[in-house]
Amino acid sequence: MTKIPLAVLISGNGSNLQALIDASAAADFPAQIVLVISNQPDAYGLTRAKEAGIPTAFISHKDFITREAFDRALSDMIEAYGGEIICLAGFMRVLSEWFVKRYEGRLLNIHPSLLPKFKGVDTHARALEAGETEAGCTVHWVATEVDSGDILAQARVPVLAGDTAQTLAARVLKEEHRIYPEVLKQVCADRLANRQ
Ligand code: GRF
């Protein structure tokens, strides 16, 4: 089966990356991860990728003077491995307009809130503070304005009495791991279908 080459960008634990690795192991999954890039050298996601036999790269944003220069290095790496769809999975850098335009329609993100609520960081603490009764996550296309691209899927979970940011995050993460591979599967299947 033809598979879309996928690059995944991470900065940390990589549990969403793991969900994508697990899903893409299925013979009928229409994407194959060709490269995992981290901007943090000690990201556990790099270990996950290596254990799965996936090529990895570490590029430090600290080695570049401008945001765009770093993004161009990311892009060079993605191109070298033939990455066609790019998944941000806990990648904690704002990307330049240049990068977002370059990968328009090919760049996906998962965000741990029900967008447009709680863009940015500390989403769970902010949801609790605001007295929300439900929380969730969103998979969306990346647009130049942060956490604002077209929404592809959302999943909702209840906020329970006694929740902390950690307990809520764990409940939401389970849903992230479910919907990110689902959306990716659909996006890649559509892309393959449009090629024929
Ligand atoms: C996830 O909650 C994701 O939505 C957010 O950062 C977290 C990354 O977790 N963007 P992990 O590295 O995938 O475990």
Side-chain angles (χ1 to χ4, degrees):
M1 178 193 182
T2 313
K3 294 189 176 217
I4 303 266
L6 181 75
V8 184
L9 273 50
I10 61 164
S11 299
N13 179 31
S15 68
N16 276 291
L17 165 67
Q18 188 68 55
L20 299 180
I21 291 173
D22 294 347
S24 61
D28 66 345
F29 195 84
Q32 181 190 354
I33 306 175
V34 294
L35 176 65
V36 172
I37 308 178
S38 173
N39 67 324
Q40 298 292 347
D42 52 356
Y44 183 60
L46 288 173
T47 304
R48 296 179 188 270
K50 283 176 194 149
E51 279 173 1
I54 297 166
T56 60
F58 157 60
I59 312 178
S60 176
H61 52 273
K62 294 177 190 156
D63 292 341
F64 299 87
I65 292 170
T66 64
R67 190 173 291 278
E68 187 174 315
F70 169 67
D71 287 1
R72 283 182 185 268
L74 278 183
S75 175
D76 286 349
M77 191 70 82
I78 291 166
E79 299 308 310
Y81 282 82
E84 199 176 312
I85 294 278
I86 322 301
C87 282
L88 306 181
F91 184 66
M92 300 305 284
R93 290 285 299 168
V94 173
L95 292 160
S96 62
E97 191 173 335
W98 176 82
F99 189 94
V100 173
K101 291 244 164 82
R102 166 104 181 67
Y103 292 103
E104 194 171 7
R106 298 194 281 141
L107 182 57
L108 295 162
N109 184 39
I110 182 133
H111 183 77
S113 79
L114 294 170
L115 289 173
K117 283 186 172 176
F118 308 115
K119 297 176 180 179
V121 296
D122 297 329
T123 54
H124 304 301
R126 286 157 61 210
L128 290 175
E129 177 121 354
E132 298 287 325
T133 56
E134 61 174 11
C137 51
T138 304
V139 180
H140 63 95
W141 291 115
V142 175
T144 47
E145 202 186 319
V146 173
D147 297 330
S148 297
D150 289 345
I151 290 173
L152 288 157
Q154 290 188 312
R156 293 165 189 276
V157 302
V159 174
L160 303 178
D163 259 342
T164 62
Q166 287 70 30
T167 58
L168 183 55
R171 196 173 308 123
V172 172
L173 258 184
K174 257 192 194 164
E175 294 302 305
E176 295 186 35
H177 301 159
R178 183 175 64 79
I179 67 170
Y180 209 1
E182 270 178 21
V183 170
L184 180 66
K185 186 174 188 178
Q186 192 60 55
V187 163
C188 291
D190 289 351
R191 197 171 169 88
L192 286 172
N194 285 334
R195 267 187 196 166
Q196 282 140 22

